[in-house]
Structures are given as C-alpha cells and as structure tokens.
Amino acid sequence: MTHLLQQHLTPEEITLALAGALPAARQEAFEQHRSECKRCAAACAAQLLARQTLAHLGPEPAMPTPLDSRLQKLLARETQPHSTSAEAAQPVLHHFPASEAGSKPTLASTRPARWVAAHRVVVIALAALLALALMAGSVYSVTSLLNQVIDSDPGAKQVDLEHLYVPVNQSQTISGFTVKLEKAYADANRVIVAVTFKEPAGHTYNNVFMLGTKLTANQNVTLPVLGGSGSGTRQAANAFVLWFDGAAISGAPKTLSLHLTATGLNVAQQDGDQSTFKDYTISGAISFDFTIPFHAGRVANLHQSLTAGGTTLTLERVVVTLSETRIYLQGNVIGFATRLSVGNWNSDTGPVGSVVVWPRADGMTMISYGASLFSQHGSWTLKIWASGATQVKSGTPVTGGPWTFHFTVP
Amino acid sequence: MLKRQEGVKRARGPASSQEEPGAEPLLLAVYRQHGQTLYGYIRRMLGNTADAEDIMQETIARALDWTRATPLPESEESRQRCRRWLFQVATHLSLDLLRKRKRSPLRFWQALSQPQTEAERERGEDEDVPLQVADPALSVQETIIQQALIRAAFGAMKPAEVSVLLLHEHYGFSLAEVADMRHCSYAAAAKKVARARQQFARHYRSEAGEEDER
C-alpha cells in the first residue's frame, strides 16, 4: 500500500479508488497521495469529470410506443407456461443480421421510414433541454406522441396512470403554427406541462419549439425549468413535456394559478436536402393562464446529522411526490454516490428514472430520483459515499463516510 | 459470441420461473422494468431511432432464446443477471453494427457540437430567475451547454469507450459487472473505465475550449 504514496497513481488505481473498491488502508493512502500530488489530483479530477457531468446527460430517449407494445405482447405470449413443448422452444423471432441494410426483422415493424437527414436541425431545438426522438411519417397522432413522451419518464408516467393530469386545452396560433397546452400537473417537486405543436401545411418541419418559456405561479413566483422531453414527426406534430421546480412554491396551497409564457417560436424547416434547411424565429407573445390542483406530497423534516470518518452530514428533508423523490442535504456538494431503498425498491435496480445530485443556490444539495415512490411506505434507507465528492465553493474533496440514514416519511 | 454461464443447467423448456403458476415470467418482468432504459442506452449508442429499433428487437429475440436455454430461478439475482445480459447483448450488437457500417457512430451527438444558433442565444438570455426561488446551481443555459458538450465529447470517442462509460457511469453497472459484460478481467474493466473517463475529459475540455490537465 505504501507504493501509492511513493509513486503516481495509475488510472486503474484511481478508478478503483473512486469506486470505493480499494481496501481501507489503500483508500486512505490514495486520499493522502491525491491531496499531496498535483498531477494525481488532476488525473482524479479528469476521471471525476465524467462521473459528475454524466449526471446531466438528460432524460432517456423514449422507446416508440408501437415497438414497446409489440415487444410486450410478444414476450407475454412467448414466455407463457403453455409454450413448454420442444417445438415451442424454437426461436419465435428469426434473427436478422442487424448489420445488413434493408434487412427486415420477422417481427412486424410499423416504424416509419428512416430519417437520417439534417440531424443538426434537430439539435438546435433540442437545446431547450429536450431529448427529442424524431420520427418520419405520420402514423403517430399527437396524442400518441404525447403519451410516448410521458411514458419515457417514470414520474410523469405515474401521474398519468393516476389520472392526475388536468386537461387545459388552450391553444394559440402564430403564423400558422398552433401551440396547444394540453394538460398540466403540479406537486411539491415538479410542475409538469404538456404542450403540442401543429404545423401549417406546405412545408416540412424538423422541429418547432417555444422560445423564452417561463412559468410563474401564485404570488408571481417564477419556477425554474428543470428538464423535459419531446417527440415529433416531420410532417405533422411535436409533443413536449416540460417540468419546472415545484420546490419554489411555498406552503401547501390547494390550487396553483399558473401563467405560462413564451416570446415566440423557433422553427427548423427542411423541405428537401440539407441545402433547404432553414432555422428561424417567429416572434409573438404566447400566454396561457390556468389553474390546477397542487399536490403537497409527503414531507419528512428530519434534521438528522451523522458523523462518519470525522465528517458530519445532515439530512434536512425528504419530499416524496408522485412525480419525483427529493432529498435535501446541508451543504453544497457535487459527486456524492448514493443508494436509496424503501420496501422492495432500491435505486440500484430501479426503475429509477434519472438520478441527479444538484447543489442548490440555497446552500443545500438536492438528490433527485425520477422514480415515483409515492406509494412506498415503511423504513427508508439512504446510503451516501463521499468518494469523489467535492465541495462546490472550495473545490476540496469531501472525506469520511459512508453515511447511512434511516428514516420514515409520513 | 455470448458466453453462457458455466454450471447452469440447460433445458429446452422455459425458465423455471415461467413454470410457476401466477408468477410473471422473468424476461417479461425484466423487460417491463428495464426495457425503456435498455432502449435509451441503445438509442444513445447508435444515434438514430431506426437502428435502435432494429437492435432492440434483435436483443429481445436473442433473450427469448437465452431464457429458454438457461433456466433461472425467480429471484432478484436472476433479474439482475437478466438485465445485465440484455445490456451485454445490446452492447455487442450495437458495436458490431457500428463497426460493420463503418460510419460515424454518434453522428447525432456530434451534431450537437455545432456553433450556437440564434435560437440558442435567445434562449440563453431568458435567465431571469429570482434569487428567492430555490434554484439549482446550474442555470438553464449552463445545463444546455453542458449537455451539448457531453454529446460532443461522446461523438469524438470510440464507441467501445462510450459504451463502457455509459454502462458504468450512467446505467450504474459495477466494475465487476462491466468485466462480466465485456468478457475481461476486473483489472481490465477498471482500465477500460479509466481510459474512457480520460478520453471523455480530454474531449469534453477540448470542446469547452479548456486546457487538458493531463
């Protein structure tokens, strides 16, 4: 173990150390060496960059609903007990060489023709925090597109399963583009709005999206955008779900009066090859006013402090809503590794949605789990590892741990 | 080709869990729990929906064969093994497709490194979040930029490196699981992850206009 102190760390050693996979003594030597050696500290920082930045990869690209339905039906049929004969044990799907262009799987595909042109176009609109799955063809209705987007996020999907989206059905048309606020939902973690766009005939559009989107709630509180996802066709429509930070809402009002505005539309148009691509802005105020119920969720104000390895960590609050589960810790830290478990669920095996560790402007660190755990009761366990974590302001590594919190959420 | 676990009985019928009345078949249960995530991984690897659909279907087709040939008891361990197997096969198929087609593997992500557009700049100006509002440290604009940098860095990396990085850092597979999935030793898996992280940092910083700290 002493060689760690005398020689520079190898990339593999750093990887193992950051994974907490070294014996305790070696781990200690690693931390000591890292604090003393600039070169190795830089090497660690490079590896940590990957871990920390991949937390911002965005939502998972959504599986097209038709494909998901086909696969679910197939698996339900082919894994049933009646298929126990030797004959039934033969492969049901013939393998097709994925590398051969034009080959057709025997599983009937209803997916639209491939669309490969002008990916750049997509991205420009995607920059509004959207993971956009583009599909050609017009077999997808606006409703199915919206369902697909909602289903891609566990929390948003659970809200849908509980029938808690409130239909808003307000629309505005600007230069032939119709923006429709379809439905919305609000709880103490997320305010979710579902928006669709219908495009005018005569051209083909890769994407359309609102610019300068802003959501304000009761008492003129602006709710920061946290993320979103979208899907669309080139000929017909786009559907988007945006979620805003519900933590900005103080107290537990019964309803929220919301004001959604945008300053115009960003349009990506392409009628032929890439030379026909146009990306332009249509100015025009978009404004929707609507009122929806507010779901306060389950809140545990814990103020629970634990000291491990000489470092104290304080778990302040846990907010469990249908759309998300959030944990608030004292201090501004990035890079914590965490494992949350309750009942039969844990964040290692999921379904978990996205997990984000976010240092907040109010001095706390928020750990967000995209899974809907609202129906989970009983004892919760949160384990936090410091390996790789750093203080935001000072940039110094967090030492000590791991910390294991046990709590209940009323 | 895929390795089958040694010491596991092979049978022609379905997995034992599928024979228990009332129990949801293992593969179906795992698909329902992890299917969307698996598709997301494939989609991220291949960069387009059409190829992702092909590979997703092929992965499930092979999984049906595998579960018929490899009986697994109903347990959390079996579920994890099945999940790992699905990601393993999806990885092989995706890398194989990218290699054989000899094309830019992540062109969709590469496209994200395009210069900022007027629309992006306009969105960036809308950064008027009152201080009293609980606000994540990263602004909307910073998040937009960071996501673009991530995708640009992936676009510049080898597909195998992106795969290892995604599996370990984003989808939470341990080093031991990565070693199992890539048919290599634990030490080799650590080396692959280290290499992937270094490459990611290099390209990420390059895209961000920063000096590489190596």
Side-chain angles (χ1 to χ4, degrees):
Chain A
M1 65 187 75
T2 53
H3 78 284
L4 278 175
L5 296 173
Q6 294 163 356
Q7 298 176 0
H8 291 302
L9 305 168
T10 66
E12 300 91 281
E13 284 171 326
I14 293 172
T15 301
L16 293 172
L18 295 180
L22 291 179
R26 281 174 68 98
Q27 189 81 24
E28 194 177 331
F30 161 80
E31 297 292 353
Q32 186 182 341
H33 182 85
R34 179 164 69 152
S35 66
E36 294 168 351
C37 174
K38 284 187 179 177
R39 177 175 154 179
C40 289
C44 290
Q47 292 213 27
L48 282 173
L49 182 70
R51 174 185 291 182
Q52 290 162 1
T53 52
L54 286 182
H56 301 278
L57 196 53
E60 292 294 324
M63 181 167 19
T65 305
L67 174 65
D68 186 32
S69 299
R70 284 202 309 277
L71 292 176
Q72 289 224 34
K73 283 178 189 168
L74 176 88
L75 287 170
R77 187 177 70 237
E78 298 303 327
T79 55
Q80 289 308 308
H82 61 73
S83 60
T84 54
S85 70
E87 187 179 343
Q90 296 303 313
V92 174
L93 294 179
H94 300 294
H95 294 159
F96 58 95
S99 56
E100 288 179 15
S103 64
K104 293 265 183 184
T106 52
L107 185 65
S109 172
T110 57
R111 69 174 164 78
R114 294 175 185 211
W115 181 80
V116 293
H119 288 284
R120 176 182 176 275
V121 178
V122 184
V123 169
I124 291 164
L126 231 171
L129 301 179
L130 304 174
L132 176 62
L134 272 177
M135 297 167 287
S138 56
V139 295
Y140 295 91
S141 68
V142 169
T143 305
S144 67
L145 283 172
L146 195 54
N147 289 339
Q148 177 187 329
V149 175
I150 287 172
D151 286 353
S152 69
D153 178 83
K157 183 178 181 178
Q158 193 60 37
V159 171
D160 195 33
L161 290 172
E162 304 275 343
H163 307 293
L164 289 177
Y165 285 108
V166 176
V168 179
N169 293 322
Q170 294 181 24
S171 61
Q172 275 184 249
T173 301
I174 299 176
S175 300
F177 293 87
T178 300
V179 185
K180 186 176 181 185
L181 175 55
E182 300 272 355
K183 51 190 176 182
Y185 165 84
D187 67 31
N189 286 328
R190 284 186 190 181
V191 176
I192 304 175
V193 297
V195 181
T196 60
F197 299 85
K198 280 193 176 175
E199 297 135 8
H203 292 287
T204 302
Y205 301 94
N206 291 337
N207 193 39
V208 180
F209 191 67
M210 291 187 293
L211 295 173
T213 307
K214 192 171 181 177
L215 184 68
T216 53
N218 300 351
Q219 302 141 9
N220 211 25
V221 174
T222 300
L223 311 184
V225 179
L226 284 186
S229 60
S231 185
T233 67
R234 291 190 71 205
Q235 279 97 13
N238 291 296
F240 295 90
V241 170
L242 285 174
W243 48 86
F244 298 81
D245 192 358
I249 299 158
S250 55
K254 284 188 176 177
T255 59
L256 283 185
S257 294
L258 294 165
H259 183 54
L260 179 68
T261 59
T263 55
L265 297 176
N266 172 229
V267 178
Q269 176 184 318
Q270 185 178 3
D271 295 326
D273 61 20
Q274 278 196 299
S275 65
T276 65
F277 167 65
K278 292 180 191 173
D279 179 48
Y280 56 93
T281 298
I282 300 172
S283 296
I286 297 169
S287 176
F288 298 111
D289 288 290
F290 54 104
T291 300
I292 57 175
F294 178 76
H295 303 269
R298 295 158 52 202
V299 181
N301 288 303
L302 300 166
H303 315 298
Q304 194 181 125
S305 294
L306 280 181
T307 301
T311 303
T312 300
L313 210 58
T314 302
L315 172 60
E316 278 296 331
R317 188 165 73 252
V318 178
V319 181
V320 183
T321 67
L322 210 54
S323 66
E324 189 181 325
T325 299
R326 284 193 193 176
I327 287 161
Y328 295 88
L329 302 167
Q330 276 292 354
N332 256 191
V333 172
I334 53 174
F336 274 143
T338 70
R339 183 180 192 271
L340 179 67
S341 60
V342 56
N344 293 325
W345 180 91
N346 70 70
S347 57
D348 289 345
T349 56
V352 71
S354 58
V355 180
V356 179
V357 179
W358 237 334
R360 296 170 63 94
D362 59 8
M364 289 211 265
T365 297
M366 178 183 96
I367 305 170
S368 162
Y369 297 89
S372 182
L373 305 176
F374 193 67
S375 61
Q376 296 282 0
H377 292 272
S379 178
W380 297 61
T381 302
L382 173 68
K383 189 167 183 179
I384 299 174
W385 290 266
S387 185
T390 53
Q391 301 282 354
V392 172
K393 284 185 181 172
S394 64
T396 54
V398 177
T399 57
W403 301 266
T404 304
F405 295 95
H406 299 283
F407 54 92
T408 55
V409 182
Chain B
M1 285 302 293
L2 304 171
K3 283 182 179 175
R4 294 194 194 278
Q5 294 290 321
E6 297 299 326
V8 176
K9 283 185 181 177
R10 299 180 64 174
R12 301 194 68 186
S16 58
S17 63
Q18 295 164 6
E19 295 169 347
E20 294 171 14
E24 186 174 49
L26 180 70
L27 181 57
L28 179 59
V30 171
Y31 174 85
R32 284 192 172 140
Q33 193 172 1
H34 302 292
Q36 287 287 348
T37 312
L38 178 68
Y39 175 83
Y41 167 65
I42 296 169
R43 177 67 176 72
R44 284 188 157 120
M45 281 298 297
L46 297 175
N48 70 79
T49 303
D51 284 344
E53 287 196 28
D54 285 349
I55 297 301
M56 184 74 184
Q57 290 184 95
E58 175 67 359
T59 302
I60 297 302
R62 293 192 182 190
L64 276 167
D65 291 350
W66 180 68
T67 52
R68 288 188 180 104
T70 311
L72 291 173
E74 175 55 45
S75 66
E76 186 55 33
E77 187 183 344
S78 296
R79 284 175 178 241
Q80 288 310 306
R81 188 176 158 202
C82 192
R83 171 179 179 256
R84 190 163 65 245
W85 190 93
L86 287 169
F87 273 83
Q88 178 183 4
V89 172
T91 301
H92 286 311
L93 292 172
S94 298
L95 293 178
D96 193 44
L97 177 63
L98 292 168
R99 189 166 50 246
K100 287 181 178 173
R101 287 190 174 170
K102 292 181 180 176
R103 64 181 188 189
S104 177
L106 297 160
R107 54 193 173 186
F108 180 69
W109 288 349
Q110 283 176 321
L112 277 162
S113 63
Q114 296 290 334
Q116 192 184 37
T117 64
E118 184 183 344
E120 287 169 320
R121 282 193 293 275
E122 187 166 345
R123 273 190 288 275
E125 290 166 8
D126 184 47
E127 197 50 40
D128 184 24
V129 180
L131 284 177
Q132 68 268 27
V133 174
D135 181 19
L138 284 180
S139 67
V140 172
Q141 187 180 12
E142 287 168 334
T143 307
I144 291 167
I145 292 168
Q146 189 163 48
Q147 291 194 3
L149 289 173
I150 290 169
R151 290 172 171 92
F154 278 165
M157 292 166 66
K158 292 178 183 174
E161 291 171 346
V162 174
S163 158
V164 163
L165 202 58
L166 283 173
L167 290 171
H168 185 59
E169 301 288 10
H170 190 68
Y171 294 101
F173 287 101
S174 68
L175 288 175
E177 288 175 315
V178 170
D180 186 42
M181 294 162 81
R182 302 307 307 271
H183 306 315
C184 64
S185 67
Y186 185 84
K191 199 168 186 174
K192 286 178 194 291
V193 168
R195 168 81 180 161
R197 281 175 173 166
Q198 287 176 320
Q199 289 301 310
F200 176 83
R202 186 165 75 86
H203 292 299
Y204 182 93
R205 287 177 173 144
S206 170
E207 290 290 338
E210 297 173 13
E211 290 289 324
D212 192 358
E213 292 182 16
R214 287 181 309 164

